[in-house]
Amino acid sequence: MKKVLTIAGSDSCGGAGIQADLKAMSAQGVYGMSVITAITAQNSMGVFAVEELSKGIIEKQIEVVYEDIDVDAVKVGMLSSAEIIDTVSETLKRVKAKNIVIDPVMISKSGYYLLKEDAIESLKRFIVCGKIITPNIPEAEAISKIEIKNEEDMIEAAKIIKKLGVKNVLVKGGHREDNCTDILLTETNEIIKYPGVRFETKNTHGTGCTLSSAIASYLAKGDSVEGAVKKGKEYISKAIENSFQIGNGVGPIGHFIEIYNRAGIDYK
């Protein structure tokens, strides 16, 4: 059994954050563990409040997991302040964490800022810890400081981000209207394009969390970065295709669609 740790915020409606991470990891057949950095009050309509945990308890959560368990990969999601970013960075270095996947969560789909503006520079310093970082277009723009309008801009942003020290950069294209291709800039500077299919659904809550967790799961199982991204893309595409509605806003994706189908559940 491969073991994967997620370090992220808690989502009270279960579609994103820690909850989505653990679902995605379970769906890939790995054992998921969690370090909570913040508690969010949110539902399908949006994020309404965030309360950060203290740096002491965040640090201790990481330490005690590594003292007892051999962690095969780490997914890092919501780190809302410079203090939390620095704490996680220093602790992961101290425990010699491997296969770190960084999902630079900045703004929720409802427009709530999950990363404080003064923490972006700390995030840029933290990036060096990652085996791969998975920004969407707004996040890539914030980190690279360039505007992204097309694939050439995505590649340029990936190159700028890679210079910060991360080995691989996956710029996700889901925010583009004309084309949702994701672009991976590898450690050897190879550019790999992963074409996507756009599904007619508003229910995409937690897609970024889920993809990064799936990638971390496949890295834990021994896949290359390129292979992990490919398999992660296949999983997230199927999950989005089989998303469903809960509440009155943006519903979740189908993390366990195969289980639902086998159980005869009418999830739609």
Side-chain angles (χ1 to χ4, degrees):
M1 176 64 74
K2 299 299 182 182
K3 287 84 65 183
V4 184
L5 178 67
T6 169
I7 303 174
S10 170
D11 172 7
S12 51
C13 74
I18 288 285
Q19 288 80 358
D21 295 340
L22 293 175
K23 291 174 185 177
M25 291 171 185
S26 297
Q28 312 318 312
V30 301
Y31 183 78
M33 303 168 288
S34 63
V35 168
I36 297 175
T37 61
I39 297 171
T40 69
Q42 62 179 296
N43 56 29
S44 68
M45 301 296 288
V47 179
F48 297 89
V50 173
E51 185 166 322
E52 298 174 354
L53 273 69
S54 71
K55 69 175 186 178
I57 191 62
I58 293 171
E59 179 182 20
K60 198 64 178 177
Q61 287 178 86
I62 299 171
E63 285 179 343
V64 297
V65 169
Y66 274 87
E67 286 171 4
D68 182 47
I69 299 166
D70 181 17
V71 181
D72 297 294
V74 185
K75 173 265 170 79
V76 181
M78 178 186 171
L79 307 176
S80 55
S81 69
E83 185 178 51
I84 290 176
I85 293 171
D86 294 341
T87 296
V88 170
S89 175
E90 292 164 7
T91 310
L92 289 178
K93 289 175 183 176
R94 189 165 63 249
V95 299
K96 297 181 171 57
K98 58 187 178 183
N99 290 326
I100 299 174
V101 178
I102 300 174
D103 179 20
V105 177
M106 294 183 177
I107 307 173
S108 73
K109 280 187 172 63
S110 61
Y112 194 104
Y113 280 78
L114 300 173
L115 178 72
K116 296 174 181 175
E117 190 172 350
D118 63 1
I120 292 179
E121 291 305 312
S122 292
L123 175 66
K124 289 166 75 172
R125 291 192 297 271
F126 172 56
I127 286 171
V128 70
C129 295
K131 186 161 190 173
I132 182 171
I133 187 170
T134 63
N136 59 31
I137 285 178
E139 292 161 350
E141 289 180 330
I143 298 169
S144 68
K145 301 298 183 184
I146 69 169
E147 186 178 5
I148 298 174
K149 295 181 178 180
N150 50 46
E151 286 189 1
E152 290 72 25
D153 294 338
M154 292 171 70
I155 293 169
E156 181 60 27
K159 290 178 178 178
I160 294 170
I161 295 169
K162 190 170 182 288
K163 287 180 181 177
L164 296 173
V166 65
K167 293 180 173 63
N168 303 271
V169 181
L170 178 68
V171 179
K172 300 175 294 189
H175 282 75
R176 288 178 59 196
E177 293 183 3
D178 59 331
N179 189 320
C180 56
T181 295
D182 295 350
I183 293 178
L184 174 67
L185 177 62
T186 71
E187 186 172 2
T188 58
N189 292 317
E190 181 183 2
I191 295 169
I192 302 174
K193 298 182 180 181
Y194 298 86
V197 177
R198 193 176 298 282
F199 299 101
E200 293 301 321
T201 178
K202 68 173 183 176
N203 299 320
T204 56
H205 187 48
T207 50
C209 306
T210 299
L211 176 59
S212 54
S213 294
I215 291 171
S217 299
Y218 285 114
L219 290 176
K221 293 164 78 171
D223 282 79
S224 66
V225 169
E226 296 89 337
V229 172
K230 181 177 183 294
K231 290 179 180 178
K233 280 280 293 179
E234 291 169 352
Y235 171 68
I236 192 68
S237 295
K238 189 171 184 179
I240 295 172
E241 182 182 12
N242 291 279
S243 63
F244 52 94
Q245 187 68 44
I246 62 167
N248 299 300
V250 179
I253 59 177
H255 290 98
F256 294 128
I257 185 60
E258 293 182 2
I259 294 175
Y260 298 158
N261 286 336
R262 286 201 300 270
I265 297 170
D266 183 9
Y267 61 92
K268 293 290 187 178

